[in-house]
Amino acid sequence: MVALFISDLHLDESRPEITALLLDFLEREAAAARRLFILGDLFESWIGDDHSTELSRSVAAALRRLADHGVEVGFLAGNRDFLLGERYAAHAGMKRLDDPCPILLAGQKALLTHGDALCTDDGAYQEFRARVRDPHWQRDFLARPIPERLEFARRARDASRFHTGGASPEIMDVNPSAVDGLMRRHRVELLIHGHTHRPAIHDLDGGRRRIVLGDWYREGSVLRIDRERLDLATLPGLRS
């Protein structure tokens, strides 16, 4: 049975067409799969499981239907939804995964990661990442009122856009040495990640491969793996 991999959907109320595309994908294709892995940034922002919206509820309901249908749904947090916790994951029928996460694919050991930790040339981002991933910071943040957390998320998105717009393409991509070190430490020949929004299949030395998932800003992107068959593809638009 096929395993599906998606990431960087950045679901947001301002882009309902992408939410509709995801719901269509879950109903039409993912329901026939064995496993679905979401490798981070499912949502544009996430300020805590206690903040429920129509968007979060509709996505949870669709994922729960998928899980109830017998599909294993794994979720690995990204840099936008790292606060998505056990409460929402359980409601959506998802299993939260560690980053990085080793899995077996057709008898081959592979490694899943969001990918942001591999962008080691971006020192400013790595400092921010270390701060917000600290458990003490997260407990303090989640204890704040929802309006305050929403404002923080808004300012963080604005700062991210400004930083991304002024940084060189090389800094924003993964560092080859970081990739090599991660794959060697985990002794894998296949690495799958998102974050950089540069979908591609990279052949590395020693027969290893790095697969980068695409984002869902203008169209969908999915990696399908079924035994020896591997397909990194864009998703067609919604059927009328």
Side-chain angles (χ1 to χ4, degrees):
M1 292 287 286
V2 67
L4 304 173
F5 302 81
I6 59 176
S7 73
D8 299 282
L9 291 88
H10 295 270
L11 299 178
D12 186 79
E13 288 83 355
S14 65
R15 300 164 59 238
E17 70 282 0
I18 297 302
T19 301
L21 182 59
L22 170 65
L23 298 180
D24 183 77
F25 166 75
L26 295 179
E27 179 180 355
R28 294 180 184 273
E29 179 171 358
R34 179 189 173 197
R35 294 186 286 178
L36 170 68
F37 294 96
I38 305 170
L39 303 190
D41 288 359
L42 174 61
F43 295 96
E44 174 68 7
S45 65
W46 193 267
I47 64 165
D49 290 4
D50 58 335
H51 181 237
S52 178
T53 66
E54 182 179 350
L55 171 63
S56 67
R57 291 190 295 271
S58 66
V59 172
L63 290 169
R64 167 55 70 179
R65 286 194 295 272
L66 193 67
D68 290 345
H69 190 68
V71 180
E72 298 176 23
V73 182
F75 171 79
L76 187 152
N79 55 296
R80 298 295 184 96
D81 51 14
F82 57 89
L83 289 172
L84 193 154
E86 292 288 356
R87 174 178 165 186
Y88 183 81
H91 183 57
M94 300 189 298
K95 178 182 178 181
R96 291 175 71 237
L97 307 174
D98 293 330
D99 188 353
C101 176
I103 64 168
L104 282 177
L105 285 173
Q108 179 185 31
K109 188 178 178 182
L111 192 66
L112 310 179
T113 181
H114 177 59
D116 58 329
L118 296 171
C119 300
T120 55
D121 293 331
D122 190 348
Y125 170 72
Q126 293 302 328
E127 290 180 8
F128 173 80
R129 184 182 190 277
R131 179 165 64 94
V132 300
R133 296 298 181 106
D134 179 81
H136 298 289
W137 184 95
Q138 293 185 5
R139 281 195 296 269
D140 176 72
F141 179 80
L142 291 174
R144 298 179 184 182
I146 286 178
E148 185 177 341
R149 284 182 267 159
L150 287 170
E151 176 60 19
F152 176 89
R154 185 193 65 78
R155 288 188 281 108
R157 290 196 302 272
D158 290 344
S160 176
R161 293 188 188 103
F162 179 80
H163 176 66
T164 302
S168 69
E170 292 76 16
I171 288 178
M172 302 304 296
D173 204 354
V174 299
N175 178 282
S177 295
V179 169
D180 181 70
L182 182 67
M183 296 184 73
R184 289 186 185 279
R185 285 195 300 275
H186 289 270
R187 299 179 181 179
V188 297
E189 296 183 351
L190 177 62
L191 176 67
I192 303 172
H193 71 85
H195 181 65
T196 63
H197 302 184
R198 301 178 181 186
I201 300 175
H202 299 274
D203 291 321
L204 309 177
D205 64 324
R208 300 180 300 170
R209 285 185 295 184
R210 176 171 69 93
I211 303 177
V212 188
L213 306 176
D215 64 74
W216 286 51
Y217 278 118
R218 295 181 177 85
E219 58 191 356
S221 176
V222 60
L223 170 67
R224 306 177 179 101
I225 296 181
D226 184 10
R227 294 186 179 87
E228 300 299 321
R229 185 176 66 87
L230 185 153
D231 178 37
L232 178 62
T234 57
L235 291 173
L238 289 171
R239 297 174 177 86
S240 58

